[in-house]
Amino acid sequence: HPMSEAVLSIGGMSCSSCSSSVTAAAQSVPGVLRASVDLIGECATVIYQHERCAAESVAEAIEDVGFDASILTVRRLDTQSNNAKNNGVGARNETEQINGKGTKKSYSTFSDSPQTNVKIIEAAFALEGLTCATCVNAVNQAVTSLGPEKGLDVDSVDVRLLPEATLTVKYDKSKMNEDDIIDIVEAVGFGATLNSKREIQNLDDGQAMASMENGGKGVQKT
């Protein structure tokens, strides 16, 4: 497959975890063979099969995890390295689900369309690798991208850096489980370990939901 090399300017990176998130996002795009990110130089170099994807797709994937990306240069590569061909292809397929499906502006929450007898789980995770606010945003956007259609209560996603890096989220256990959340966090370059989970009463029990949000771990409504 003919290959191209794109250099993108990346904004918003402030630590090595940020650059790892950018790398993972770029490599999640089908057709990308490898990506290297320069934190100090604020840029990323991506090798990809231009018959399968475009530089614009890579920029969009990076922006979807909370960074700014603009294309600086694109050039065709005449020679093809077999090592490059085998490097990283398919290794991060799970990250394809974070690459924006145009649903972010039309999210509905559980409260918009209540159903009966839906069992809601509140789960708390310990996070690894977060060192700055940009890391928090990257995890938040990745988890939120799972969306209500997969059983996630998008309004419940709460990522905190201090005093310890944690993620609290509510979801419909008939549609997803904690492994789905761990996978999406790992897909953007961070670690997640389940700390605790408990079942909330079904969706009709408004008092249970209210007590959850007032329990100190609920989402801060601003």
Side-chain angles (χ1 to χ4, degrees), residues 199-218:
E199 188 173 299
I200 307 171
Q201 297 303 311
N202 67 43
L203 217 53
D204 289 343
D205 191 343
Q207 289 183 337
M209 293 293 285
S211 67
M212 287 297 313
E213 294 185 353
N214 294 329
K217 284 236 178 188

Side-chain angles (χ1 to χ4, degrees), residues 8-162:
L8 297 90
S9 173
I10 309 297
M13 296 188 298
S14 57
C15 68
S16 59
S17 296
C18 294
S19 60
S20 296
S21 291
V22 173
T23 302
Q27 289 180 337
S28 76
V29 179
V32 170
L33 300 180
R34 67 176 183 267
S36 60
V37 178
D38 182 353
L39 175 62
I40 304 301
E42 297 186 322
C43 65
T45 303
V46 181
I47 307 295
Y48 61 95
Q49 298 169 349
H50 57 246
E51 292 179 350
R52 296 188 60 199
C53 71
E56 289 79 8
S57 300
V58 178
E60 289 175 6
I62 293 170
E63 289 177 344
D64 282 342
V65 293
F67 301 91
D68 296 323
S70 56
I71 300 166
L72 296 178
T73 62
V74 176
R75 68 186 182 96
R76 293 284 181 97
L77 300 179
D78 294 330
T79 60
Q80 180 170 323
S81 163
N82 287 330
N83 289 335
K85 185 177 182 181
N86 295 327
N87 182 19
V89 177
R92 292 231 176 236
N93 285 339
E94 70 271 22
T95 60
E96 290 180 21
Q97 59 192 311
I98 70 168
N99 287 342
K101 301 250 190 288
T103 59
K104 290 189 176 179
K105 294 181 180 178
S106 59
Y107 276 150
S108 61
T109 63
F110 285 160
S111 58
D112 293 334
S113 54
Q115 307 169 40
T116 58
N117 298 321
V118 175
K119 298 296 184 182
I120 305 302
I121 298 292
E122 185 197 49
F125 300 84
L127 300 175
E128 297 176 4
L130 281 72
T131 59
C132 69
T134 310
C135 298
V136 171
N137 188 45
V139 172
N140 194 310
Q141 291 204 33
V143 175
T144 302
S145 74
L146 290 171
E149 65 275 5
K150 292 188 179 178
L152 180 75
D153 181 353
V154 296
D155 282 348
S156 75
V157 179
D158 186 15
V159 183
R160 301 193 178 188
L161 183 60
L162 298 173

